[in-house]
Amino acid sequence: MEPISAWTATSQYRLKAGDLLKEITLKEYTLKIIVSDFCLWIVAEWPKGGRIAFRAAFAANDNLEVESVTGDDIVDIELKGETVNIKVSVVIPDTEKAIFRYTTAMTPVFDTLIPYWPRDIMPLFDNEDGTEKTEGTVHASQVGTRSGNLFFGFEKPKTGSVFYFQDLTSLNKYCETTETSAGDLVGGVWPEIGMKLPETNKDKPLKAGEEYIVCDAYVALSTDLPEDNYQMSQQYLNCLADVYMLIPKPDTEYHDWPDILHKGLHDLENHKGCWQFADGRSYLNAYVSDYKTPPEIMVQLAVLLPLLDFDKWSGEDHSPVIATLHEGLENFYDEQLGTIVRWLPTMEKNLDWSEEQKKPDVMDSWYLHHPLLNLSRLAMDGDETAKKLLLNSIDYAIKVAHHFKYEWPVFYKMSTLEVLKAETQEGQGGEKDVPGAYAHLMIQVWQITGEQKYFDEAVKAAKKLDGLSFNIFYQANNTAFSAGALLRLYKETKDEMFLNLSYLCIASILKNVQLWNSNYGNAKHYPTFFAIYPLKDAPYTAAYEEQEVYAGIHTFLKEADGLDNILPSVKLLLAELVKYVINRVSYYYPPRLPREVLVEREEVKTGEIDPNLWIALEDLQDGWNQSGQVGQEVYGAGIAFGIVPRQYHKLEDAGVMLFTEYPVADFKATKTKATFYARGDSGLTFRMAILPLKGKMPKAEVTITVAESVKDKVNPEKGATAKYSEYILRGDSRIEIKWQA
C-alpha cells in the first residue's frame, strides 16, 4: 500500500460524494464529469473495470457553483467561486483513437498567489476509491522544460495505459505574469501524478480579472499494458504521434540558409577568436577566444566533415580552410598509446584541470568514438590519411571495449584504463548509449575493410543495449547515431531485437524534446518548439548536439528506405523533427537575437561572446535565463554546412534551387523536370521553396500525388517573386516540378 497525502485522501472522499454533471462515451470508455466542492473531475472508466480521475478544475478551499453545462462533443462547464471563476472545456477529437482533451481557464477575483497546487491525476481502486491500494509504473515524465508528457501503466487493478500530454504553450501567460517556468511540472511519484502549477511569489501574483489557461491536457487511453521495454517504447511513439496530430503547432518560415552559411564561413575563416596557433599549425578553438584550452580533435573534425559536404554540394573552392583543418589531424595521434587522442599531445600539459575531463590522460567514453566515426566517414570517401589514422587507432578502441565488456564508464585513464568516474549519477551506470556509437563505428570499419571481425564487434556491443529502457539515452547525438546503426544491423541480420532497439533510441530522443513554445521572458525572441536537449538532464538546448541529431535522423531515414515495416509514427515524428530543427537553429547565431538575451561577458563560462559574430552559441536557455552562458562554440559552425546539402537541391540546367523542410528521397532531375518523394505523413504539411540560381525565376508547375491518387496541382503561396516561390505540400507524397525549357 502506497502512502498518500491528505490532499489525495480527502479528494477521494469528496469525489465519491460529488454530483454527476455529464456522462460521455469515448469509444469503449466512459467519461464522467463530476463536481465535488472545490474540484471538477473527469473520471475515465475502462471497459473491463479500472478508473482514473483527472482533476480538471481546482479552487483551494472554495465552493464551486455550477453556472452552466452545455454541449456534447464539446462540453463547456462554467464554475463560479468566491475566489475564482473557472471555465472547463472537454473535447472529444475526431479521431479513431480513445483521446480526449480538457482545457481549463481561471479568472481570479483578486490578485492571487499560488503557493501550492496538487497534481491532477488520481488512480482509483475499483469501487473503493482506494488510491493508496493501486499500483502503477511511470515510464516517462517531464524533465526540465521538455515536453509536458506523462506515460504510465495502471497495473493494480490491471487496467491499461495512459499517455497524458500538457500543451505547455498554453501556460505562457501564467508564466509571463508570475515570472515562473513551465519546467518540471508534469510528473510525480505513484500514485500522486500529473501536473502541478508553478508556485508564485508575493511580488508576481495572478492579476484580478485576467483569464489564465492553467491546463491544456490531451489524454490517450489504452487497454494495453506494455510487457517489455520494446512494447513500452513503441506504444510511447504511437501515442505521441496520435497526440501530436491534434496539438496546435507553430508555423514555420523560410530561412535563407545559404546566406547564413556564407556569413558563418566568412567569420570562421577570418575571426581570430576562432583559431589558435599550436605545434606549428593553426587549429580551431572549441569556443571563441578560448586560448587557454588546447586544440581538440573532435572540434577540427566536427567542422571539417560538414564543410566537405558543403564543398562538394556547392562546387565552390574552400580548399584553404579545408587543408588547414586536415593537415593538423595527424598531430593528434599518440604513438605510445596507438590511437588518436582528445587533446593535441604536445599541448596537453597546458590543461588547467578546471573540469573532470580537462586533465592529461583522461578520456570521456563517448569522445574516443566520435572522432573515429568522423575519420571513418572521411575514409569511406577515399581519404587515405583518415583511413590510416582510423585503422591505426581501431585496435585501441576494441581493447577498451573488451576491457569494459562493452559497458563504458564516464571517465577513464587512457594509459591504464583505470576508471575515474564510473557513473553519471549514483545507481545510474555509465554512458549507456556508447555501445550504439561503438557499433556504428565498427559497422563503418567493416564497410571499409570488409573484415567480418568488425561486424561481429558491432553485434556484440549492440546487444548490450537490450533491457535499458529509456536509460539507453546518455547523449542525444550518440543515441541518434545508435538508432541508425541498429537499423543497419537489423537489415543485415534480420534480428528483430535490433529493430526494436532502434525504436527505443528514437523514443528516447523524442522523450528529450520540447514540444511547446516557451513564449515568455527571453524565449519570446526565439522558437523552442521541437527543441532537442543534449543530455537527459541538461537545462538548455545545445547547437552542436541538435545539428548532429538532425544529421543522425537523416541517416536513420536513409537506412529505413526499402523497409515496409517501419512504424508510421516514427516516420511522422522524425520528418517533423527535421522540419522544426531547420526552422529553429538559426537562432543560435547571436546576430539573430537581441543583445539583452545574451549573457554578460563576465558570466561566460568559456571564452567570450561576440554578438556580431555568425558563430553559434552553445546554449539557448529557458526564458528566464540569458543564453550563451557556456560560450560561443566554434564547432557549432557545422550547423549550416550540414543543413544546406541535405535540404537544398541545385538544378543548374533549370537555373533553380529547391529547398524542402521535410527530408526527401529518390530525387531525380532533368533540364525541365524534378521529382522526389517527401517523407513524413500525409496528414501534415511542409514548405518547399523554388529559388533562382541566376537571373529571373522560371515559371514552374508543381503537382503532388498522395497515396497513389490522382495528381493535384499546387499553387504557390506567395506567387512568383524575384527571391523565391513557396509551396505548402503534404508529407508521404510524390512531388513533380516542371519548368519551361
Side-chain angles (χ1 to χ4, degrees):
M1 189 175 295
E2 297 291 339
I4 58 173
S5 69
W7 289 90
T8 296
T10 56
S11 291
Q12 293 181 75
Y13 308 144
R14 293 177 186 275
L15 174 61
K16 189 179 291 187
D19 297 323
L20 178 65
L21 301 181
K22 188 83 173 181
E23 189 169 304
I24 304 171
T25 299
L26 173 63
K27 309 304 179 189
E28 65 267 41
Y29 303 85
T30 301
L31 304 180
K32 293 181 178 179
I33 303 175
I34 298 170
V35 65
S36 63
D37 295 336
F38 48 82
C39 293
L40 180 81
W41 296 92
I42 303 170
V43 180
E45 297 184 350
W46 267 250
K48 294 183 179 180
R51 298 180 303 144
I52 297 179
F54 299 85
R55 184 188 283 109
F58 174 71
N61 297 322
D62 201 346
N63 287 312
L64 293 173
E65 296 181 4
V66 180
E67 295 280 285
S68 64
V69 181
T70 58
D72 292 310
D73 287 342
I74 300 177
V75 180
D76 293 315
I77 305 116
E78 293 193 12
L79 305 166
K80 184 176 182 180
E82 295 296 324
T83 62
V84 65
N85 296 319
I86 299 175
K87 296 178 181 178
V88 176
S89 180
V90 183
V91 179
I92 307 300
D94 183 15
T95 174
E96 296 179 358
K97 305 299 174 63
I99 299 174
F100 68 96
R101 176 188 184 187
Y102 61 95
T103 306
T104 306
M106 61 183 286
T107 304
V109 174
F110 48 82
D111 286 2
T112 300
L113 300 175
I114 307 292
Y116 171 78
W117 199 264
R119 295 198 183 271
D120 64 348
I121 299 177
M122 187 168 67
L124 304 171
F125 194 87
D126 294 336
N127 293 320
E128 301 176 23
D129 300 334
T131 297
E132 67 276 8
K133 299 177 183 177
T134 65
E135 294 179 8
T137 300
V138 175
H139 301 295
S141 59
Q142 185 188 19
V143 176
T145 48
R146 291 156 185 78
S147 302
N149 59 31
L150 182 69
F151 178 44
F152 62 92
F154 192 1
E155 293 150 3
K156 183 181 178 182
K158 189 175 182 181
T159 301
S161 301
V162 172
F163 183 87
Y164 168 96
F165 184 96
Q166 276 284 348
D167 184 2
L168 297 174
T169 305
S170 299
L171 263 63
N172 275 318
K173 183 178 178 181
Y174 179 104
C175 292
E176 181 74 14
T177 300
T178 60
E179 288 194 13
T180 54
S181 169
D184 293 315
L185 299 185
V186 182
V189 177
W190 190 276
E192 299 193 16
I193 55 177
M195 189 187 81
K196 61 177 182 178
L197 284 179
E199 298 174 4
T200 62
N201 65 63
K202 65 183 182 68
D203 298 321
K204 299 290 180 180
L206 298 175
K207 301 297 183 181
E210 289 283 326
E211 184 177 82
Y212 300 90
I213 295 177
V214 294
C215 173
D216 192 1
Y218 296 77
V219 183
L221 307 176
S222 173
T223 56
D224 295 331
L225 276 170
E227 296 179 3
D228 54 39
N229 66 149
Y230 300 149
Q231 290 182 9
M232 180 274 296
S233 62
Q234 291 171 42
Q235 190 175 345
Y236 177 86
L237 288 166
N238 293 336
C239 288
L240 180 61
D242 291 339
V243 169
Y244 185 87
M245 293 293 289
L246 301 174
I247 64 173
K249 292 168 278 290
D251 288 335
T252 58
E253 60 181 281
Y254 174 71
H255 298 281
D256 190 346
W257 275 104
D259 180 62
I260 293 171
L261 183 150
H262 283 99
K263 289 175 179 175
L265 182 58
H266 173 272
D267 287 355
L268 179 75
E269 290 179 324
N270 295 287
H271 195 285
K272 292 181 180 179
C274 295
W275 298 87
Q276 66 170 289
F277 191 77
D279 197 26
R281 297 187 184 277
S282 293
Y283 298 91
L284 287 174
N285 286 321
Y287 296 91
V288 171
S289 299
D290 176 23
Y291 303 111
K292 297 178 182 178
T293 307
E296 301 179 59
I297 190 169
M298 184 274 283
V299 173
Q300 319 309 311
L301 289 167
V303 177
L304 176 60
L305 265 292
L307 178 55
L308 283 168
D309 288 342
F310 173 69
D311 192 68
K312 294 174 190 173
W313 176 89
S314 68
E316 301 170 2
D317 181 11
H318 307 106
S319 56
V321 67
I322 288 172
T324 299
L325 293 171
H326 193 278
E327 288 167 3
L329 295 179
E330 290 182 277
N331 291 346
F332 287 92
Y333 187 79
D334 187 307
E335 293 283 354
Q336 187 173 355
L337 290 173
T339 181
I340 57 165
V341 292
R342 176 171 188 165
W343 311 104
L344 190 66
T346 57
M347 303 296 291
E348 194 178 38
K349 61 183 180 296
N350 294 341
L351 287 166
D352 62 9
W353 293 52
S354 60
E355 299 176 38
E356 291 174 293
Q357 71 274 17
K358 287 189 175 181
K359 300 176 184 178
D361 199 32
V362 174
M363 178 55 73
D364 190 344
S365 286
W366 74 270
Y367 203 108
L368 175 67
H369 306 101
H370 191 280
L372 291 172
L373 274 171
N374 278 334
L375 287 174
S376 70
R377 294 180 184 120
L378 288 173
M380 292 173 78
D381 285 339
D383 188 320
E384 290 299 322
T385 299
K387 183 177 180 180
K388 176 184 174 184
L389 286 171
L390 171 69
L391 296 183
N392 286 347
S393 301
I394 204 67
D395 286 344
Y396 178 85
I398 294 172
K399 180 179 80 169
V400 173
H402 291 178
H403 178 82
F404 293 124
K405 300 179 181 178
Y406 306 102
E407 293 179 323
W408 281 261
V410 181
F411 296 119
Y412 61 88
K413 277 196 170 185
M414 293 196 73
S415 57
T416 64
L417 304 188
E418 174 192 351
V419 174
L420 300 175
K421 183 177 180 180
E423 298 185 295
T424 56
Q425 297 176 18
E426 187 175 352
Q428 297 296 309
E431 299 183 1
K432 297 291 184 66
D433 52 12
V434 170
Y438 177 82
H440 185 21
L441 170 63
M442 290 298 140
I443 289 170
Q444 298 205 158
V445 177
W446 166 63
Q447 291 174 309
I448 292 166
T449 65
E451 295 185 37
Q452 183 66 26
K453 66 178 182 179
Y454 297 116
F455 185 84
D456 294 342
E457 279 291 306
V459 170
K460 290 175 185 176
K463 288 181 177 179
K464 284 289 186 176
L465 299 170
D466 190 22
L468 292 180
S469 189
F470 281 133
N471 290 325
I472 202 170
F473 182 103
Y474 169 68
Q475 188 163 298
N477 50 342
N478 292 320
T479 306
F481 297 150
S482 299
L486 290 160
L487 195 56
R488 180 57 184 262
L489 288 177
Y490 166 68
K491 290 167 67 176
E492 296 291 339
T493 66
K494 310 305 179 188
D495 188 335
E496 292 279 339
M497 178 184 70
F498 296 125
L499 176 62
N500 290 329
L501 283 170
S502 74
Y503 289 149
L504 185 55
C505 288
I506 297 298
S508 298
I509 292 168
L510 293 171
K511 177 180 174 289
N512 280 273
V513 303
Q514 179 176 336
L515 292 177
W516 59 283
N517 246 342
S518 51
N519 193 25
Y520 55 78
N522 293 319
K524 291 194 291 287
H525 300 288
Y526 47 87
T528 62
F529 189 83
F530 236 130
I532 306 164
Y533 287 79
L535 301 169
K536 63 182 179 181
D537 56 355
Y540 58 80
T541 61
Y544 179 63
E545 282 79 0
E546 289 217 57
Q547 187 270 333
E548 288 231 312
V549 170
Y550 157 85
I553 293 309
H554 269 276
T555 299
F556 177 90
L557 292 172
K558 287 181 180 178
E559 289 288 1
D561 283 342
L563 295 176
D564 297 329
N565 56 340
I566 298 297
L567 288 176
S569 58
V570 169
K571 297 178 181 179
L572 181 157
L573 291 165
L574 294 187
E576 287 287 288
L577 180 148
V578 168
K579 166 182 164 180
Y580 280 104
V581 164
I582 59 179
N583 184 63
R584 281 188 312 94
V585 294
S586 68
Y587 290 90
Y588 281 102
Y589 293 99
R592 298 223 62 193
L593 299 170
R595 181 64 184 90
E596 64 268 20
V597 169
L598 305 178
V599 72
E600 297 300 322
R601 176 186 293 251
E602 62 272 11
E603 296 173 339
V604 179
K605 178 183 175 183
T606 310
E608 299 177 355
I609 287 179
D610 181 344
N612 300 311
L613 191 65
W614 286 86
I615 297 293
L617 304 172
E618 165 148 338
D619 52 302
L620 287 176
Q621 302 275 347
D622 183 35
W624 299 117
N625 298 317
Q626 290 178 305
S627 294
Q629 295 180 28
V630 181
Q632 197 167 2
E633 59 177 29
V634 177
Y635 58 96
I639 291 178
F641 302 145
I643 287 174
V644 170
R646 290 180 173 88
Q647 307 301 145
Y648 288 82
H649 300 268
K650 290 175 66 176
L651 305 173
E652 300 279 1
D653 290 338
V656 300
M657 182 163 60
L658 294 182
F659 163 83
T660 63
E661 288 181 325
Y662 268 10
V664 304
D666 195 24
F667 191 94
K668 298 175 182 176
T670 65
K671 289 184 178 181
T672 58
K673 185 173 74 170
T675 59
F676 62 85
Y677 167 70
R679 304 183 193 273
D681 186 277
S682 60
L684 295 169
T685 61
F686 68 97
R687 294 179 186 275
M688 179 185 75
I690 303 176
L691 305 95
L693 285 173
K694 296 177 182 177
K696 293 195 306 181
M697 172 78 72
K699 188 176 181 180
E701 180 181 287
V702 178
T703 55
I704 183 171
T705 305
V706 180
E708 306 301 325
S709 63
V710 179
K711 289 183 180 180
D712 291 322
K713 184 178 178 181
V714 183
N715 294 318
E717 288 293 295
K718 298 181 178 181
T721 69
K723 291 186 176 181
Y724 63 91
S725 295
E726 193 171 51
Y727 300 80
I728 302 298
L729 305 172
R730 294 165 66 186
D732 191 20
S733 61
R734 288 274 169 189
I735 310 298
E736 180 181 85
I737 308 110
K738 291 182 178 179
W739 295 274
Q740 293 179 352

